[in-house]
Amino acid sequence: MIKHLLSAADLDAPTATLIHDIAAEMATVAGREVKKLPTLRGRTVVNLFYEDSTRTRTSFEVAAKRLSADVVNFSAKGSSVEKGESLKDTAWTLQAMGADAVVIRHPASGAPNRLVNWVHGSVLNAGDGTHEHPTQALLDTYTMRSRLGTVAGLNVAIVGDVLHSRVARSNALLLHTLGAKVTLVGPPTLVPPVFETLTPDVRVGYDIDAVLPEADVVMMLRVQKERMNAAFFPSWHEYSRRYGLDAARVRRLPDHAIVMHPGPMNRGVEIAPDVADSPRSTIVEQVANGVSVRMACLYLLLGGRS
Ligand code: CP
């Protein structure tokens, strides 16, 4: 079993499938009166977040607590990072406190890869810059499997701000590993041709309406205003008109197709509110599945099978 989870590329198909299988077992814990397993009793999990998060941080915390680990939540805001303390010195401090695992979110791509040199425990990438978000890809593929029965052979359209999306990158890598076909769709400024080299069979398209009739899954991406240092499209209205998923576009999908979004959403920009709240939408399921999948990851990396 792998020690760290830094990239979706760290996962081969048997390992990803094992995580999905264990997540399905972990999901049964959520239905119990006492939602706890003793698996990680005496182990310490540190959530080290240098960027804002709602879903990822809370679900890692809930996941670790359901496995009976001690959890330390560290936010850069309000810490000595604001006085200029480096990631390395922060890591050494956490190491001195005996962290068995560090879950890190950081604005710099590659920060988790640096961290593995400074701590003895496992490092789990909870999102680094525009690079990767591997547990999001695991929970998204788990959600596809739960809703559609399989991942292999699915046509998955990932639509929107691909350029700034660690979710898109990790999903494209893992979906390829699991045998799905991925089409990245968006304006050319946000889906540059270089993305055609992400995996051997990924496709790039610029016309969402042409892609939807063949899609089993359409995954909408948040437009990441905070990472944009230039005008990537003429106006919000124009972006929404060309690439937003509204009810009319949903009607172009096959009847069985599902609509996904990793959150947080810009309602009314990349996804219409009625679509986000529709029965085809898996957005709330994705959050619930995130707890089960992160329990599976912590179990395997810290306490589980070798
Ligand atoms: N999907 C996701 O990473 O959401 P958060 O930024 O709320 O963690």
Side-chain angles (χ1 to χ4, degrees), residues 96-125:
M97 293 177 190
D100 296 294
V102 180
V103 177
I104 179 171
R105 171 167 288 191
H106 200 283
S109 298
N113 302 65
R114 296 289 287 159
L115 189 62
V116 297
N117 299 312
W118 302 323
V119 295
H120 296 145
S122 294
V123 174
L124 293 94
N125 181 359

Side-chain angles (χ1 to χ4, degrees), residues 49 51-59 105 126-127 133 135-136 139-140 166-167 222 261-264 286-287 294:
F49 277 64
E51 261 190 0
D52 295 342
S53 169
T54 298
R55 281 147 287 269
T56 310
R57 185 159 72 169
T58 52
S59 64
R105 171 167 288 191
H133 194 350
T135 58
Q136 181 72 43
L139 77 88
D140 288 339
R166 52 200 180 202
V167 174
R222 184 171 67 89
H261 193 302
Q286 286 170 261
V287 176
R294 288 169 177 133

Side-chain angles (χ1 to χ4, degrees), residues 14-169:
T15 306
T17 303
L18 178 62
I19 292 171
H20 288 165
D21 291 344
I22 294 173
E25 291 173 31
M26 295 298 181
T28 64
V29 176
R32 295 185 194 168
E33 197 176 326
V34 179
K35 299 178 179 59
K36 238 175 167 60
L37 297 172
T39 318
L40 297 185
R41 191 178 288 151
R43 317 297 291 278
T44 301
V45 175
V46 176
N47 286 325
L48 179 58
F49 277 64
Y50 285 77
E51 261 190 0
D52 295 342
S53 169
T54 298
R55 281 147 287 269
T56 310
R57 185 159 72 169
T58 52
S59 64
F60 262 116
E61 181 176 354
V62 171
K65 285 180 172 171
R66 283 195 182 160
L67 294 171
S68 303
D70 296 321
V71 180
V72 177
N73 288 314
F74 176 99
S75 171
K77 282 183 198 136
S79 76
S80 290
V81 171
E82 295 204 320
K83 299 175 195 162
E85 188 162 45
S86 68
L87 176 60
K88 186 175 183 176
D89 287 334
T90 303
W92 280 351
T93 303
L94 300 175
Q95 184 55 49
M97 293 177 190
D100 296 294
V102 180
V103 177
I104 179 171
R105 171 167 288 191
H106 200 283
S109 298
N113 302 65
R114 296 289 287 159
L115 189 62
V116 297
N117 299 312
W118 302 323
V119 295
H120 296 145
S122 294
V123 174
L124 293 94
N125 181 359
D128 61 327
T130 58
H131 179 224
E132 284 233 31
H133 194 350
T135 58
Q136 181 72 43
L138 280 163
L139 77 88
D140 288 339
T141 48
Y142 177 80
T143 302
M144 291 174 207
R145 189 178 95 157
S146 302
R147 275 279 190 123
L148 301 172
T150 182
V151 178
L154 293 179
N155 282 318
V156 181
I158 302 179
V159 181
D161 183 0
V162 174
L163 182 66
H164 301 104
S165 179
R166 52 200 180 202
V167 174
R169 198 180 300 267

Side-chain angles (χ1 to χ4, degrees), residues 145-223:
R145 189 178 95 157
S146 302
R147 275 279 190 123
L148 301 172
T150 182
V151 178
L154 293 179
N155 282 318
V156 181
I158 302 179
V159 181
D161 183 0
V162 174
L163 182 66
H164 301 104
S165 179
R166 52 200 180 202
V167 174
R169 198 180 300 267
S170 287
N171 263 292
L173 292 169
L174 188 57
L175 285 162
H176 170 70
T177 299
L178 293 174
K181 296 187 185 69
V182 174
T183 306
L184 303 172
V185 184
T189 48
L190 293 175
V191 194
V194 69
F195 279 94
E196 285 170 351
T197 61
L198 192 55
T199 69
D201 56 1
V202 71
R203 287 177 296 185
V204 166
Y206 302 111
D207 181 358
I208 184 174
D209 294 309
V211 170
L212 293 178
E214 305 297 324
D216 302 298
V217 177
V218 56
M219 182 184 296
M220 302 308 295
L221 300 174
R222 184 171 67 89
V223 179

